């Protein structure tokens, strides 16, 4: 019998239904009570946030859900994932940091996930599950299979921008998602009245979505309410904001001194214990039997988890990235190849992958009807209805949608209009896309691409010119790609879309009109591999993106002066192709690095560190960087010319190093 079918019938069926709900609540209660004990005994490391007192909202919300339906959770998520069907034994092992834990000991209490069960992750970032849920719901809508998603969040998350962005996006796209607020009346230490001035009902009206309220301590009421909502969503209804009023008995975290609320308030709340509310309608002997059954289950889980080994030290690097399918370096392009532009390369790559793979979709601000601010996606929305989607101006929701959709089996390609705007949605890259595969012990799949662009030199100012690859490359789990010519743009973008890892693909807008030979349609370039684009013997010059063109021009200039410069185009910033750079350094004994990002703490510094570490005995001269000073990109052309490296400043540095 499915979960959903339990809600019909009367008499014995009703009693059986409530007894099963009680069993699930009791499992959550006992799991968390024992977790609290184990934490105090130092058998569970790290942070522990318990949901004791909130069991009815978790069980009732998940009651009508099937295996394909999804949930996203919070840092207080044990109840949600247990209610969705995760087993208590592997969860207990995860909390203890054991290799056999749900996430192989990589996630712990706050990051338990199993997308195979529709559990798209508890999350240590307040509100982060909401845009991820929008992504899972986007995948559900594109598949049109009637699946729904429940996004659990606490009342404190309402103050997060991600709440606004996710609910608004879900409303605009009519996504099948229930935003379920477990209102326990405290945002960490702060009472609800000090955090918000508008009730959720008013907020729902502002977004144009349905609002409902339910007693979060009455599991039957929650299940009945959710059964009706889920049925409407399966039939094509849009998002619903459901508020379940409840109360958490323990502090914000285990060890919280709880000076912010009186003991009398907690005692009064316990009179509305969800388990007692349910027991009053059950035969005492039947409920006692369930208690005994669950106690044995949890103790067995603890005994099993205690007996297990922790992850072996040699597995430290496991699960950071998914294995890549090897891609050979393509053959040189034909001398008589058709000429095309970098902007054509972007469009053709997107078109090719959309046509080849039905799981690929494109989303971003004005990428659909408007065809992108630079015209790069013009015509794609008409050619692929529903799969090239305009979004609100909500960068966190855009990237969060990509994260959720990727975990749900899609291959999203989302656009952040300017690289500078990465700062607006950095959490979704830093703490979600880059880390979720690792934190879930490989359970979460993350094949997504974030396309963006940058480019100084046209007075775009400090907020539209930044080359921020060093920030992104510093984040383990992210792949960062920066092509320098049209053919590479095509081959690298196709490879990025096919890759099983999160890729930030950075174009230079000043190169959109750059012309070059057009490769064949099946052209692919391996990620993580640099290329020697000019052979030389005297100096190695490493660059990437548009600066490669200046580097090649400087090398040509010095060739006329008798200095042979080998130019390397990194193409992929992270993972860094150390072997190609070190092999060149071993040949030339000199290294110069040129890049458009500011000099300090940049990728050039990483290359320099590599040279003086692994390549030290090959060096005959100082490793030198040619890059802008640590000053924001200026607006005035006179200042920008001084700030930005050029062919001539690169050539000047090459001459100086050659003379050493």
């Amino acid at each position: 019998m499915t979960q959903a079918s339990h809600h019909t019938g009367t008499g014995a069926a009703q009693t059986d239904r409530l007894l099963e709900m009680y069993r699930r609540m009791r499992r959550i209660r006992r799991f968390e009570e024992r977790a609290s004990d184990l934490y105090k005994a130092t058998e569970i490391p790290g942070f522990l946030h318990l949901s004791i007192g909130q069991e009815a909202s978790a069980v009732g919300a998940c009651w009508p859900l099937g295996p394909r339906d999804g949930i996203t959770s919070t840092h207080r998520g044990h109840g949600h994932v247990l209610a969705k069907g995760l087993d208590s034994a592997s969860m207990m092992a995860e909390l203890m940091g054991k290799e056999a834990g749900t996430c192989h000991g990589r996630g712990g209490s706050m990051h338990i996930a199993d997308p195979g069960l529709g559990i798209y992750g508890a999350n240590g970032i307040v509100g982060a599950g909401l845009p991820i849920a929008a992504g899972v719901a986007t995948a559900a809508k594109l598949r049109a299979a009637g699946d729904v998603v429940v996004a659990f969040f606490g009342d404190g998350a309402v103050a997060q921008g991600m709440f606004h962005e996710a609910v608004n996006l879900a409303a605009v796209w009519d996504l099948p998602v229930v935003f379920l607020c477990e209102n326990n009346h405290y945002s960490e230490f702060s009472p609800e009245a000090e955090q918000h001035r508008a009730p959720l009902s008013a907020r729902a009206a502002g977004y144009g979505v349905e609002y409902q309220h339910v007693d979060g301590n009455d599991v039957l009421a929650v299940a009945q309410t959710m059964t009706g909502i889920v049925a409407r969503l399966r039939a094509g209804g849009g998002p619903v904001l459901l508020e379940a009023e409840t109360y958490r008995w323990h502090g914000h975290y285990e060890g919280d001194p709880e000076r912010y609320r009186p003991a009398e308030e907690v005692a009064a709340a316990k009179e509305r214990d969800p388990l007692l509310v349910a027991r009053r309608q059950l035969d005492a002997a039947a409920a006692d039997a369930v208690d005994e059954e669950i106690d044995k289950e949890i103790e067995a889980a603890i005994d099993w988890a205690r007996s297990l080994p922790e992850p072996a030290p040699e597995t430290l690097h496991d699960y950071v990235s998914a294995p890549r399918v090897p891609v050979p370096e393509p053959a040189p392009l034909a001398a008589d190849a058709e000429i095309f532009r970098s902007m054509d390369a972007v469009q053709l790559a997107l078109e090719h992958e959309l046509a080849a793979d039905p799981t690929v979709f494109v989303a971003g601000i004005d990428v659909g009807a408007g065809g992108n601010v630079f015209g790069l996606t013009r015509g794609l929305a008409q050619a692929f209805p529903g799969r090239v989607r305009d979004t609100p101006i909500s960068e966190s929701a855009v990237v969060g949608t990509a994260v959720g959709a990727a975990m749900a089996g899609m291959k999203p390609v989302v656009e952040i209009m300017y690289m500078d705007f990465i700062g607006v949605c950095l959490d979704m890259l830093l703490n979600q896309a880059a880390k979720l595969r690792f934190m879930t012990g490989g359970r979460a799949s993350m094949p997504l691409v974030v396309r963006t662009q940058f480019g100084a030199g046209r007075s775009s100012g400090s907020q539209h010119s930044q080359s921020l690859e060093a920030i992104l490359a510093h984040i383990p789990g992210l792949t960062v790609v920066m092509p320098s010519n049209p053919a590479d743009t095509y081959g690298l973008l196709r490879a990025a879309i096919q890759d099983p890892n999160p890729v930030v693909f950075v174009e230079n807008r000043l190169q959109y009109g750059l012309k070059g030979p057009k490769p064949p349609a099946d052209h692919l370039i391996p990620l993580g591999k640099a290329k020697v684009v000019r052979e030389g013997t005297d100096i190695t010059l490493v660059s990437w993106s548009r600066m490669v063109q200046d580097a090649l021009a400087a090398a040509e200039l010095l060739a006329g002066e008798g200095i042979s410069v080998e130019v390397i185009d990194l193409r992929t910033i992270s993972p860094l192709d150390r072997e190609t750079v070190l092999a060149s350094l071993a040949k030339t004994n000199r290294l110069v690095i040129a890049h458009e990002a500011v000099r300090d703490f940049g990728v050039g510094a990483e290359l320099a560190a590599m040279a003086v570490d692994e390549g030290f005995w090959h060096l005959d001269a100082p490793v030198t960087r040619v890059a802008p000073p640590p000053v924001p990109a200026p607006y005035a052309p006179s200042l920008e010319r001084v700030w930005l490296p050029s062919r001539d400043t690169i050539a000047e540095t090459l001459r100086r190093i050659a003379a050493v």
Side-chain angles (χ1 to χ4, degrees), residues 102-122:
T102 308
C103 301
H104 299 292
R106 269 66 171 185
S109 170
M110 289 192 288
H111 307 113
I112 292 175
D114 187 350
L117 293 175
I119 299 167
Y120 294 94

Side-chain angles (χ1 to χ4, degrees), residues 536-622:
T537 57
D538 296 330
I539 304 176
T540 297
L541 174 58
V542 180
S543 192
W544 52 93
S545 192
R546 187 175 71 95
M547 198 64 71
V548 170
Q549 305 303 328
D550 290 321
L552 288 167
E556 181 66 27
L557 196 62
L558 265 71
E561 303 172 18
I563 300 172
S564 175
V565 179
E566 180 150 294
V567 180
I568 296 177
D569 180 358
L570 283 186
R571 305 192 298 195
T572 300
I573 309 305
S574 179
L576 185 62
D577 183 355
R578 300 169 186 273
E579 292 77 14
T580 297
V581 176
L582 288 169
S584 179
L585 177 59
K587 178 170 64 170
T588 68
N589 308 117
R590 287 170 169 80
L591 178 62
V592 173
I593 306 137
H595 56 74
E596 192 167 319
V598 294
R599 180 190 63 236
D600 292 19
F601 308 102
V603 177
E606 179 62 29
L607 288 164
M610 180 186 72
V612 299
D613 180 1
E614 300 165 62
F616 179 78
W617 299 110
H618 298 300
L619 286 172
D620 288 344

Side-chain angles (χ1 to χ4, degrees), residues 47 110 172-173 186 201 293 324 332 337 410 436 458 509 560:
F47 296 113
M110 289 192 288
V172 170
W173 282 4
Y186 282 91
S201 56
E293 169 199 335
R324 290 200 156 100
M410 307 298 283
L436 278 171
R458 298 284 175 84
R509 65 177 170 275

